[in-house]
């Protein structure tokens, strides 16, 4: 969803789910258009859709998994000064409703180049966004984190 804030600032509002399997690994995706940057399943919030519903939908569309939204973990911002593109992501914990389905990932819409379950060491070996991902995936539970505005790198 595109949003215009006071002062005429426009940005995309996006939502996604951080899915962790029974082995404590986090689900990462790489979208074909984003070079070698890995992230969590996420996408634009549709008009009239809640951010939690969007997170559930995006996980299903990009991985084939059905999840239940949990608590808000982080808010992250991306910005491309060249184009003026600005995106705000809301990241929710996403609970797998069928843990056995974690073994068979799919990309029903054909937008994801690769899907991968990673532990903390595997995540550290990837180029990923947002920067707070390691803390919210593998650190102790805490308050909602804010990943400040940073240049978009894809």
């Amino acid at each position: 969803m595109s949003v215009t804030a006071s002062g005429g600032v426009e940005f995309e509002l996006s939502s996604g789910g951080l899915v962790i399997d029974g082995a404590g690994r986090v689900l990462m995706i790489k979208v074909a258009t984003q070079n070698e940057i890995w992230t969590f399943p996420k996408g634009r919030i549709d008009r009239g859709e809640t951010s939690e519903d969007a997170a559930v939908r995006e996980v299903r569309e990009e991985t084939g998994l059905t999840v239940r939204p949990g608590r808000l973990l982080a808010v992250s911002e991306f910005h491309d000064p060249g184009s003026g593109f600005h995106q705000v992501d809301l990241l929710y914990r996403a609970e797998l409703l069928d843990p056995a389905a974690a073994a068979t990932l799919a990309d029903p819409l054909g937008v994801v180049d690769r899907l991968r379950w990673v532990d903390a060491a595997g995540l550290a070996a990837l180029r990923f966004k947002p920067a707070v991902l390691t803390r919210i995936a593998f650190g102790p539970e805490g308050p909602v984190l804010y990943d400040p505005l940073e240049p978009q790198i894809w």
Side-chain angles (χ1 to χ4, degrees):
M1 169 188 319
S2 292
V3 177
T4 304
S6 63
V9 176
E10 291 187 28
F11 60 92
E12 292 292 328
L13 189 56
S14 172
S15 186
L18 180 69
V19 184
I20 299 178
D21 72 3
R25 301 174 302 171
V26 65
L27 178 59
M28 298 295 290
I29 66 167
K30 194 195 87 51
V31 178
T33 60
Q34 295 177 349
N35 300 322
E36 287 302 312
I37 304 300
W38 290 78
T39 192
F40 56 92
K42 65 182 177 75
R44 290 183 185 149
I45 298 172
D46 291 337
R47 186 168 301 284
E49 183 178 44
T50 69
S51 57
E52 289 176 328
D53 288 345
V56 169
R57 176 182 51 76
E58 288 294 335
V59 170
R60 185 181 60 251
E61 288 177 355
E62 295 179 353
T63 70
L65 297 174
T66 304
V67 298
R68 175 183 304 123
R71 70 181 201 87
L72 181 65
L73 299 171
V75 176
S76 179
E77 293 191 59
F78 300 99
H79 182 248
D80 177 3
S83 69
F85 178 78
H86 185 171
Q87 181 171 315
V88 176
D89 294 328
L90 304 174
L91 176 55
Y92 290 89
R93 171 84 61 193
E95 176 190 350
L96 279 170
L97 294 182
D98 180 8
T104 56
L105 296 173
D107 176 20
L109 296 183
V111 296
V112 175
D113 185 39
R114 286 179 272 166
L115 303 104
R116 179 183 304 175
W117 292 102
V118 297
D119 58 15
L123 183 62
L126 300 175
R127 286 184 66 205
F128 64 87
K129 287 286 186 182
V132 297
L133 198 51
T134 301
R135 288 175 51 202
I136 60 175
F138 302 109
E141 191 168 307
V144 174
L145 297 179
Y146 173 64
D147 190 31
L149 189 66
E150 54 190 48
Q152 191 153 352
I153 58 175
W154 56 76

